[in-house]
Amino acid sequence: MKKLKLKELESRLQQVDDFENPKLLLEQYPTRPHIAACMLYTIHNTFDDIENKVVADLGCGCGVLSIGSVMLGAGLCVGFDLDADALEIFSRNAEEFDLTNIDMIQCDVCSLPARISKTFDTVIMNPPFGTKHNKAYSKESR
């Protein structure tokens, strides 16, 4: 596999579609290609935690971090998200890039068992910023 340079990864990630109608309570906002590329490039080149690894992307949304991980050589990347609409966009993105070693699971990542970390070599996620909204959503949805 050809080793991607940071700018090439960022350029490819600019082609990933993001939310058409983001849901505020789910804190759906796009992870910008520059941030995603820098984050993944550092994880890959500094810590060697992407290539040939099994990667989990928690709260994957439209899949930019998952797709970037696969572009950097992840053996398998599994994205987890609560929202079916986000996973539909993710699925279209993965199909557009013709990626086969990528999968997605619809679930509430807060309900995943702690042992899930033993299933994956690397766990990535875009950090939650508005936890106040998450708490409100959790109370309403249970």
Side-chain angles (χ1 to χ4, degrees), residues 49-118:
D49 280 337
I50 300 282
E51 190 172 8
N52 298 317
K53 305 290 185 187
V54 179
V55 177
D57 181 1
L58 304 183
C60 62
C62 300
V64 69
L65 295 178
S66 294
I67 290 167
S69 294
V70 171
M71 288 177 177
L72 289 172
L76 172 67
C77 188
V78 181
F80 297 86
D81 204 287
L82 178 66
D83 185 46
D85 295 332
L87 292 176
E88 176 60 34
I89 298 168
F90 184 156
S91 180
R92 287 195 313 259
N93 282 326
E95 196 173 292
E96 184 75 25
F97 284 98
D98 197 28
L99 302 175
T100 57
N101 54 336
I102 198 165
D103 204 353
M104 58 211 73
I105 297 173
Q106 183 178 2
C107 69
D108 182 346
V109 296
C110 295
S111 67
L112 291 173
R115 68 181 181 277
I116 194 161
S117 63
K118 294 180 181 174

